[in-house]
């Protein structure tokens, strides 16, 4: 199943469904809308010959015009969202059913906010659902599922949070919970870069943004991306971005805009 999330979805309805009270089997189809469910019960979902066990904390996404059979074991509650996804954008392959595991609590909070916001602010509901969809699309899965290695994803997240401070490969490996050697191997296999190269690349990409889009001084920008030594910052800019910080700033179409980070 393919999601396209580069633009916000349109949330048509969101709520808490209660089933399994009068019948143990429902058949459901939405001709034009996607179905998102986060479950709090045990049962089964079937699409044609494909059967997916339902467990508490599991999340499902069903494309439009798909007949779904729900099988219950007594009273069953789940969060549901009916939505329309935009056309175009980058495709992300997502299974029909996933175990959200540690993500399920956060997803429940997001969908609860969407449900309560829906009557008064569909825009707020859409924002909550969009965040939930990104979390679902990026949940860890098996090999070949189009998802970054979980250690690599965790390392990249740690780098983003700590770009302004000292960063070393042992620091990142320790934060991720694996050895320096293991991180180095999986990171290069996944990204084609060393960890050190990735850190430098991300620092300089952030520096480029600040040089072009803010009025922060070059000294402040260097500190903000973790390269406090101006000579080292100049060298890094020339090596990674092909020009000095002052030349990059001068190349901005209308000069730096904005007033800070």
């Amino acid at each position: 199943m393919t999601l396209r999330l580069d633009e916000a979805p349109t949330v048509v309805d969101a709520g808490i469904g209660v089933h399994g009270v009068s019948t143990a089997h429902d058949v459901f189809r939405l001709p034009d809308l996607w179905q998102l469910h986060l479950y709090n019960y045990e049962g089964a979902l079937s699409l044609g010959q494909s059967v997916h066990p339902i467990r508490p904390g599991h999340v499902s996404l069903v494309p439009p015009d798909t007949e779904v059979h729900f099988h219950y074991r007594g009273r069953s509650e789940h969060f549901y969202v009916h939505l329309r996804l935009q056309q175009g954008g980058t495709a992300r392959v997502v299974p029909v059913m996933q175990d959200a595991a540690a993500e399920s609590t956060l997803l429940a909070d997001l969908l609860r906010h969407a449900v309560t916001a829906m009557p008064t602010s569909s825009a707020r509901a859409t924002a909550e659902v969009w965040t939930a969809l990104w979390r679902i699309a990026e949940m860890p899965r098996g090999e070949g599922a189009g998802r970054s290695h979980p250690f690599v994803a965790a390392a990249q997240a740690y780098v983003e949070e700590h770009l302004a401070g000292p960063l070393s490969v042992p620091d990142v490996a320790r934060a991720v919970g694996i050895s320096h050697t293991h991180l180095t191997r999986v990171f290069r296999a996944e990204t084609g870069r060393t960890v050190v190269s990735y850190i430098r690349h991300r620092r300089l990409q952030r520096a480029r943004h600040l040089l072009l889009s803010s009025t922060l001084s070059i000294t402040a920008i260097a500190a903000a991306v973790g390269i406090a030594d101006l000579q080292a910052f100049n060298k890094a800019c020339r090596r990674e971005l092909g020009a000095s910080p002052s030349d990059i700033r001068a190349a901005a179409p209308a000069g730096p805009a904005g007033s800070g980070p």
Side-chain angles (χ1 to χ4, degrees):
M1 180 179 52
T2 302
L3 292 181
R4 299 184 185 274
L5 299 177
D6 294 295
E7 295 184 36
T10 300
V11 176
V12 177
D13 193 22
I16 297 175
V18 180
H19 303 277
V21 177
S22 58
T23 178
H25 175 215
D26 281 333
V27 182
F28 201 67
R29 181 173 67 90
L30 295 177
D32 303 309
L33 301 174
W34 287 76
Q35 304 176 44
L36 164 62
H37 290 131
L38 178 63
Y39 301 97
N40 193 32
Y41 61 87
E42 294 193 358
L45 174 153
S46 59
L47 295 79
Q49 300 301 310
S50 175
V51 179
H52 304 272
I54 293 173
R55 301 286 185 271
H58 282 204
V59 61
S60 69
L61 272 164
V62 176
D65 203 27
T66 302
E67 184 174 280
V68 185
H69 292 249
F70 290 95
H71 303 272
Y72 312 111
R73 302 176 187 174
R75 180 184 172 90
S76 304
E77 293 188 9
H78 58 232
F79 287 103
Y80 74 85
V81 180
H82 299 161
L83 63 147
R84 185 173 291 110
L85 293 177
Q86 305 299 324
Q87 299 297 314
T90 304
R92 290 165 181 83
V93 178
V94 178
V96 169
M97 183 76 73
Q98 296 186 79
D99 181 357
E103 292 278 298
S104 62
T105 300
L106 174 60
L107 290 177
D109 286 341
L110 290 168
L111 297 184
R112 186 176 295 107
H113 290 317
V115 169
T116 57
M118 193 65 199
T120 56
S121 176
S122 61
R124 169 70 187 278
T126 292
E128 302 285 358
V129 171
W130 198 10
T131 301
L133 287 171
W134 275 106
R135 304 293 297 210
I136 292 165
E138 295 181 347
M139 287 195 297
R141 298 191 291 279
E143 294 293 328
R147 157 79 174 169
S148 295
H149 191 292
F151 289 140
V152 174
Q156 290 173 321
Y158 182 84
V159 168
E160 291 302 309
E161 292 174 14
H162 296 84
L163 276 182
L167 270 174
S168 69
V169 179
D171 291 335
V172 179
R174 189 161 41 249
V176 172
I178 59 176
S179 72
H180 177 166
T181 303
H182 189 188
L183 176 62
T184 300
R185 184 171 62 254
V186 298
F187 199 95
R188 182 145 202 171
E190 183 77 29
T191 69
R193 289 180 177 268
T194 65
V195 180
V196 171
S197 171
Y198 179 80
I199 292 170
R200 182 173 61 245
H201 173 72
R202 289 301 304 135
R203 280 178 164 158
L204 273 296
Q205 288 300 307
R206 183 170 293 180
R208 182 179 185 277
H209 163 70
L210 292 173
L211 287 166
L212 293 174
S213 304
S214 83
T215 58
L216 279 175
S217 69
I218 290 174
T219 301
I221 290 172
V225 300
I227 312 175
D229 182 285
L230 278 180
Q231 186 175 2
F233 182 60
N234 268 278
K235 288 182 178 178
C237 281
R238 290 180 185 278
R239 182 171 58 247
E240 184 77 24
L241 304 178
S244 69
S246 57
D247 287 344
I248 292 168
R249 171 155 278 175
S259 58

